[in-house]
Amino acid sequence: MKNCNESEHQTTPRILLIACATALVVGFTIALPQPAYSDRVKPPPVPSNIQVPAGSKAFLEGHAVGTQDYICVPCPNPTTSMCPNASGFAWILFTPQATLFTDNDKQVITHFFSPNPFENNTNAGVMADGTIRATWQDSRDTSTVWAMAIAASFVEPGALPWLLLDVVGAQDGPTGGHRLTSTTFIQRLNTVGGIAPSTGCAQATDVGKRASVPYTADYLFYN
């Protein structure tokens, strides 16, 4: 009887230990970051000229909220290729400032302009740090990609065009983060707002004025 009691007392703690260990493993598994968004990203139909090449797969989608920031400059202007080739003045985009969110409102990416360290930019014989490109930086691991627009489609009147962008630079974060660095193409879709003002940049006294125009858009990342 004594032996039976000893066996019973030894068995109970073992069962508890096994149960606790199992619970910890299950809890840890649930808490692990979920891999790949690819199976959950369903690209919508888009105009044929901004479709990604065959074989590309969307792995991440972000819903952007922010502004398109413009500055009034005289035209023509040797400092930018975006200025109309005519005498006068024009609003020129100098950067977007946007935050991209997931469907459940978690911040995933910031979007802005910055020099692309993988492209040399020579201006008047002087080598600059890099060509200014549209930039997306992961909010968690700070991996970064730079891209240039290669096609555009004006879908909604009064809104920014939808774009297909080709990635021209990618960089891991300082601790090796690489969530964005496999990106090869980016689409900007479902745009609302963001176009340059139609007034306020018509004379010399307007030069240097800035305007931040609210916009929203969806960005799809492909690899």
Side-chain angles (χ1 to χ4, degrees):
M1 188 72 181
K2 181 178 179 181
N3 290 336
C4 291
N5 287 339
E6 285 179 352
S7 175
E8 182 179 344
H9 290 321
Q10 290 172 356
T11 301
T12 301
R14 287 175 186 169
I15 294 173
L16 290 174
L17 283 172
I18 292 170
C20 290
T22 303
L24 284 172
V25 170
V26 171
F28 182 69
T29 303
I30 294 171
L32 285 174
Q34 297 300 306
Y37 300 101
S38 54
D39 293 337
R40 290 182 276 160
V41 179
K42 305 298 181 186
V46 300
S48 59
N49 69 314
I50 62 168
Q51 291 178 358
V52 296
S56 300
K57 186 173 183 179
F59 71 93
L60 176 62
E61 180 178 17
H63 309 294
V65 179
T67 60
Q68 297 279 313
D69 297 344
Y70 298 89
I71 187 169
C72 180
V73 300
C75 294
N77 195 309
T79 64
T80 175
S81 61
M82 295 186 290
C83 197
N85 187 21
S87 297
F89 305 88
W91 289 108
I92 300 300
L93 180 67
F94 70 89
T95 191
Q97 294 189 78
T99 303
L100 278 60
F101 298 90
T102 61
D103 287 338
N104 56 356
D105 295 327
K106 290 185 177 180
Q107 178 178 330
V108 285
I109 294 170
T110 54
H111 175 41
F112 49 93
F113 280 174
S114 72
N116 175 17
F118 301 95
E119 289 182 284
N120 292 328
N121 178 27
T122 303
N123 188 12
V126 178
M127 189 71 72
D129 291 337
T131 302
I132 301 298
R133 295 294 187 193
T135 310
W136 292 261
Q137 185 175 75
D138 188 271
S139 300
R140 184 173 60 189
D141 68 18
T142 66
S143 56
T144 305
V145 292
W146 292 264
M148 61 180 293
I150 56 175
S153 184
F154 289 86
V155 177
E156 294 292 338
L160 294 169
W162 294 13
L163 297 177
L164 174 63
L165 301 108
D166 184 21
V167 170
V168 292
Q171 189 172 68
D172 288 349
T175 59
H178 56 272
R179 185 161 66 154
L180 291 184
T181 48
S182 66
T183 309
T184 53
F185 293 95
I186 300 170
Q187 286 175 328
R188 182 177 74 185
L189 308 173
N190 302 323
T191 54
V192 176
I195 63 173
S198 58
T199 61
C201 182
Q203 54 192 6
T205 55
D206 293 327
V207 172
K209 284 184 178 179
R210 299 189 178 195
S212 296
V213 183
Y215 90 108
T216 60
D218 293 334
Y219 290 91
L220 272 70
F221 297 79
Y222 293 80
N223 54 20

